[in-house]
Amino acid sequence: MKLNIGVIKGDGIGPEIVTEAMKVLDKTSEVFGHQCCYTQLLMGGASIDVNGVPLTDETIRLAKASDAVLMGSIGGDARVSPWYQLEPSKRPEAGLLKIRKELNLFANLRPAILYSELKDACPLKEEIIADGFDMMIMRELTGGLYFGERKTIEVDGVMTAYDELTYNENEIRRIAKRGFDIAMKRRKKVTSVDKANVLDSSRLWRKVVEEVAADYPEVVLEHMLVDNCAMQLVKDPAQFDVILTENMFGDILSDEASMVTGSIGMLASASLNDTKFGLYEPSGGSAPDIAGKGIANPIATILSAAMMLRFSFDLDKEAEAIELAVSQVLKEGYRTSDIMSGGNIQIGTSEMGDKICSYIHA
Ligand code: IPM
Ligand code: MG
């Protein structure tokens, strides 16, 4: 099979981690008899440097023409990077939000799994994580606070900022359906997270999620307030199967969930629309502090590439081969610095890619 993949290496550690994911994709293709054709696309700071804007129409066109897009990370250090002297709508992150919107990538899947080999890297106590955990955060990605109107104006001589939070029932229904569909393939439990004790958008969220739940009698639905969810994630992460939530809450909770897996460098993600197309990226950021040092953890990007094979190309066996190779390498004790603990062998970004390749088998 021929796989047409758009590649956005991006900023910071992006180029390093994407190079390793491509290495693993090429090895997997070789083993299983496929062919990856890559089209390099510019976005974020790298695009600002060349085009003056974080995302061009040409990049959008080429992304749409690909079967899937693999992405590294976007953005730099706001304290020193000239990109942050630009107005907010021209900064690197604006490119990321625009591509999500243009490609209608409303469903963001972020699986947070505790590998038994990484228990030492998990900051939670042994008794809390005894049985491990495996949850899927389903984050709505094209609505809410991220895409509402915003402005900063002077009201009666006082600087005042507005960020609008809007959801309509259709936006809620389509992400809820995705959440329940995924739950049906897992442990059949959905925890819908909102702030219905305060926000109207959350009250509508809850109502629509309940309507959708009626079509999935096998799935157990529970509602949880977002502040309580933040607490439950560190108190008893094993209680979660699918966490279904809106854009901003999902952004925050997925960083928290990633840390309890040991490192944000382990958290993959897929952003999907209602076709087979998807954009696959690690959930972590561009980590400008460690960029270019060859020490970033490429595993989240490699696992995102596995999600790409599964969701955009229906290549389940190939995806499993990558996931298995990652756990083999962890079992052998190989670690990048972010997940290093005593008795293991510390290696760099590209050695990690090589090791994972060496464990890919049909
Ligand atoms: C993420 C990131 C982005 C987000 C930033 C870079 C705009 O934190 O993908 O979680 O907030 O969605
Ligand atoms: Mg985030």
Side-chain angles (χ1 to χ4, degrees):
M1 179 172 181
K2 192 170 164 208
L3 285 54
N4 288 314
I5 302 169
V7 176
I8 300 171
K9 290 192 171 177
D11 311 317
I13 58 171
E16 297 162 64
I17 54 182
V18 169
T19 299
E20 298 317 306
M22 290 167 68
K23 214 189 243 177
V24 173
L25 278 174
D26 287 336
K27 178 66 196 272
T28 310
S29 303
E30 187 193 309
V31 169
F32 288 88
H34 304 298
Q35 194 199 349
C36 291
C37 301
Y38 302 107
T39 309
Q40 298 292 337
L41 309 174
L42 280 182
M43 197 172 98
S47 172
I48 295 175
D49 290 344
V50 176
N51 305 308
V53 289
L55 179 66
T56 60
D57 291 345
E58 179 65 357
T59 294
I60 294 171
R61 191 183 67 74
L62 290 169
K64 282 184 178 163
S66 311
D67 299 325
V69 171
L70 178 68
M71 198 187 103
S73 49
I74 295 298
D77 183 343
R79 289 164 306 181
V80 295
S81 166
W83 301 329
Y84 296 88
Q85 305 298 318
L86 300 167
E87 61 170 278
S89 67
K90 299 227 162 68
R91 293 179 194 165
E93 289 76 6
L96 181 57
L97 299 194
K98 188 168 173 199
I99 202 167
R100 287 174 179 169
K101 196 71 171 177
E102 289 282 337
L103 301 179
N104 195 27
L105 304 170
F106 64 87
N108 184 216
L109 280 62
R110 299 187 163 184
I113 300 162
L114 181 68
Y115 285 79
S116 54
E117 298 80 17
L118 287 187
K119 278 190 174 164
D120 286 347
C122 173
L124 302 182
K125 283 191 193 135
E126 172 68 31
E127 64 243 42
I128 294 179
I129 51 162
D131 303 325
F133 56 82
D134 176 352
M135 69 185 97
M136 177 68 87
I137 300 188
M138 291 280 306
R139 169 188 177 193
E140 200 291 327
L141 203 60
T142 52
L145 267 176
Y146 277 63
F147 293 94
E149 259 186 62
R150 58 183 106 261
K151 62 183 175 197
T152 306
I153 53 169
E154 221 178 276
V155 178
D156 298 333
V158 181
M159 290 302 284
T160 309
Y162 293 83
D163 293 282
E164 188 185 73
L165 167 50
T166 312
Y167 269 108
N168 70 41
E169 56 178 315
N170 299 334
E171 290 171 310
I172 301 169
R173 193 166 289 114
R174 65 181 180 177
I175 185 75
K177 278 189 180 155
R178 272 297 169 89
F180 281 90
D181 284 341
I182 300 250
M184 283 299 289
K185 296 189 187 149
R186 296 175 48 100
R187 301 193 306 279
K188 301 197 173 71
K189 179 177 175 192
V190 169
T191 305
S192 174
V193 174
D194 61 38
K195 189 69 185 169
N197 54 347
V198 178
L199 302 175
D200 253 29
S201 56
S202 283
R203 287 188 271 267
L204 181 62
W205 180 276
R206 213 174 255 221
K207 179 170 174 282
V208 175
V209 168
E210 274 174 6
E211 285 166 15
V212 171
D215 294 333
Y216 297 85
E218 285 176 56
V219 178
V220 175
L221 168 67
E222 68 175 13
H223 300 285
M224 192 178 278
L225 296 173
V226 62
D227 46 352
N228 184 26
C229 183
M231 183 179 79
Q232 296 296 333
L233 274 172
V234 290
K235 189 169 170 247
D236 178 19
Q239 71 183 285
F240 297 109
D241 179 16
V242 174
I243 292 182
L244 172 66
T245 193
E246 62 96 68
N247 204 345
M248 179 77 156
F249 298 158
D251 177 46
I252 298 168
L253 295 175
S254 61
D255 265 33
E256 188 188 2
S258 75
M259 195 56 231
V260 300
T261 71
S263 166
I264 194 157
M266 296 297 299
L267 202 73
S269 101
S271 305
L272 309 174
N273 58 23
D274 41 26
T275 71
K276 278 279 165 197
F277 180 88
L279 181 130
Y280 300 85
E281 55 169 319
S283 297
S286 59
D289 52 323
I290 58 162
K293 294 187 178 158
I295 59 169
N297 185 349
I299 293 180
T301 320
I302 290 167
L303 292 174
S304 302
M307 289 183 90
M308 176 173 87
L309 297 180
R310 178 172 289 123
F311 289 114
S312 285
F313 298 104
D314 290 318
L315 297 174
D316 288 5
K317 273 199 320 277
E318 289 79 346
E320 273 160 34
I322 295 177
E323 288 157 357
L324 201 66
V326 168
S327 53
Q328 281 298 325
V329 166
L330 294 174
K331 235 174 235 140
E332 299 288 324
Y334 296 106
R335 303 280 189 274
T336 42
S337 59
D338 57 318
I339 48 174
M340 183 62 189
S341 58
N344 292 309
I345 310 145
Q346 190 166 325
I347 59 176
T349 310
S350 92
E351 290 163 282
M352 183 55 95
D354 291 341
K355 284 283 170 213
I356 292 170
C357 282
S358 73
Y359 285 98
I360 303 274
H361 304 293

